[in-house]
Amino acid sequence: MKIRVQYFALLREQARCSQEDVQTQAATPAALFAELGRRHTFSLSPSQLKVAINGDFASWDQALADNDMVVFIPPVAGG
């Protein structure tokens, strides 16, 4: 299936892009993040992130569907 993934902050830097369309067999955001983490060598773990699917916060084990938009949200720093 095709999934559009958006990246922010550190993940954007490590992926070297702000979004990408990926063909995947990953059934959940957790599996998708593991797949993408191997490709982009992410330094953050899922326990440090939130995930959203189609604009709504989701659990890491929620089922993905073709054409979903997934956003991995890293911790926010600043002041």
Side-chain angles (χ1 to χ4, degrees):
M1 73 182 128
K2 181 176 135 185
I3 303 290
R4 175 162 286 177
V5 182
Q6 288 188 321
Y7 303 109
F8 295 99
L10 180 60
L11 295 178
R12 181 178 57 220
E13 292 173 22
Q14 292 175 340
R16 295 189 178 109
C17 61
S18 60
Q19 74 177 23
E20 65 179 327
D21 292 330
V22 295
Q23 290 290 329
T24 184
Q25 295 299 316
T28 65
L32 178 63
F33 187 78
E35 177 183 317
L36 295 171
R38 288 188 296 274
R39 181 184 311 165
H40 297 303
T41 318
F42 290 145
S43 61
L44 297 174
S45 68
S47 65
Q48 297 172 284
L49 305 169
K50 300 284 187 194
V51 63
I53 301 173
N54 300 323
D56 293 320
F57 284 109
S59 69
W60 285 94
D61 60 356
Q62 182 172 324
L64 293 174
D66 194 37
N67 294 313
D68 275 348
M69 176 175 282
V70 175
V71 181
F72 297 113
I73 305 165
V76 177

